[in-house]
Amino acid sequence: MKDLKNKVAYITGGSKGIGYGVAQKLLEAGMRVAVSGRTLKSVKAAAAHLAKDDQVLAIESDVADHDDEKKAVQEILDKWGQLDVVLANAGVGNFAPIDEMSDKDWHQMIDTNLSGAFHTLQASVEALKKSKGYYMTLASLAGCNFFANGAGYNASKFGVVGFTQAAMLDLRKYDIKVSTIMPGSVKTHFAGNEPDSSDDWKIHPEDIGELVIDLLKMHPRTLPSKIEVRPSRPDKK
């Protein structure tokens, strides 16, 4: 995509954190961006801060609900008539030893992080075939590195990585590009963190946005299908 102006993107979990940072960068590049979240109030507030014109669409959708995602994509198509880029970003993290993890916390992660990525792609794939677009998932370095208290989160993110790589093989015959982005520590509110200056060593959300722009502008013959990204230097403690 040499010219991103007026291309249409859909970002799930776009009201804050990485999704919000990516939305900022796509808007700066002249794109039109739909952002979704589970509560319309929070998504509308984010949209109001992102842009004051008609370049942003706020959508209420729970990615764990397949029908919600189908409605979300249809709302985008009804407004702008096309869909060029999809970032399945919505995610949650519940951390506990496996013998203490609740069934509810396990399923929230699997249903949101993994099934959500599937629902978003299923809802958008026909539109992406028409636009020869780009589908991305926001995975994590936790999708290749396991750690204590992370069984549920690891399972969901390992799954996202495998799902995305297989989807890439299925969809490239339609000229749809598919990539998964696997960040390490990011300065966000994820898992109850309150970001402040002590988090400045981490990746910032807008850095992921710049990475997304780079992927979109990559020559069509080349596909970075799995991208690991981490802070350039670890925290000094």
Side-chain angles (χ1 to χ4, degrees):
M1 297 181 189
K2 291 183 179 179
D3 185 5
L4 299 182
K5 188 173 182 180
N6 291 325
K7 296 290 187 183
V8 174
Y10 174 37
I11 301 173
T12 67
S15 64
K16 59 183 179 180
I18 292 174
Y20 186 92
V22 174
Q24 285 180 307
K25 289 300 179 180
L26 297 187
L27 288 163
E28 289 174 10
M31 295 182 68
R32 295 170 287 181
V33 180
V35 291
S36 72
R38 286 178 291 179
T39 61
L40 188 58
K41 181 179 178 181
S42 64
V43 183
K44 280 189 171 181
H49 283 96
L50 283 166
K52 301 300 182 185
D53 53 24
D54 198 39
Q55 293 296 101
V56 182
L57 176 63
I59 299 175
E60 181 178 21
S61 180
D62 182 351
V63 298
D65 186 321
H66 202 166
D67 288 338
D68 267 14
E69 282 299 275
K70 288 191 288 186
K71 291 175 184 175
V73 169
Q74 190 59 53
E75 189 173 343
I76 296 166
L77 295 175
D78 289 344
K79 182 175 180 62
W80 287 317
Q82 67 190 75
L83 181 56
D84 304 286
V85 179
V86 176
L87 174 62
N89 166 75
V92 295
N94 302 313
F95 302 99
I98 192 61
D99 55 322
E100 298 176 15
M101 178 168 290
S102 70
D103 188 71
K104 179 181 177 181
D105 283 351
W106 169 273
H107 281 287
Q108 184 188 34
M109 286 184 286
I110 298 300
D111 294 347
T112 301
N113 301 354
L114 179 53
S115 295
F118 166 71
H119 295 157
T120 301
L121 179 54
Q122 279 272 296
S124 61
V125 67
E126 294 304 320
L128 292 174
K129 286 179 182 178
K130 291 179 181 178
S131 65
K132 299 186 186 302
Y134 210 134
Y135 172 78
M136 303 179 190
T137 59
L138 203 291
S140 169
L141 290 180
C144 63
N145 301 300
F146 52 84
F147 54 90
N149 298 333
Y153 190 68
N154 283 142
S156 70
K157 291 301 186 178
F158 269 72
V160 168
V161 172
F163 162 76
T164 311
Q165 295 292 277
M168 176 268 295
L169 297 177
D170 289 341
L171 297 179
R172 60 183 177 177
K173 64 186 176 186
Y174 301 109
D175 293 319
I176 298 174
K177 284 190 167 188
V178 179
S179 299
T180 188
I181 300 172
M182 304 167 64
S185 300
V186 184
K187 186 179 180 179
T188 69
H189 290 85
F190 185 73
N193 181 56
E194 287 296 329
D196 56 30
S197 60
S198 67
D199 295 306
D200 285 347
W201 63 275
K202 298 178 180 178
I203 301 164
H204 288 209
E206 59 269 26
D207 301 339
I208 304 298
E210 291 178 2
L211 174 57
V212 170
I213 294 289
D214 289 342
L215 289 172
L216 295 178
K217 291 187 173 182
M218 184 75 63
H219 194 285
R221 65 175 171 251
T222 302
L223 176 63
S225 58
K226 184 170 69 171
I227 303 96
E228 294 187 10
V229 54
R230 51 179 52 80
S232 57
R233 297 186 67 180
D235 187 21
K236 296 179 180 178
K237 290 183 178 179

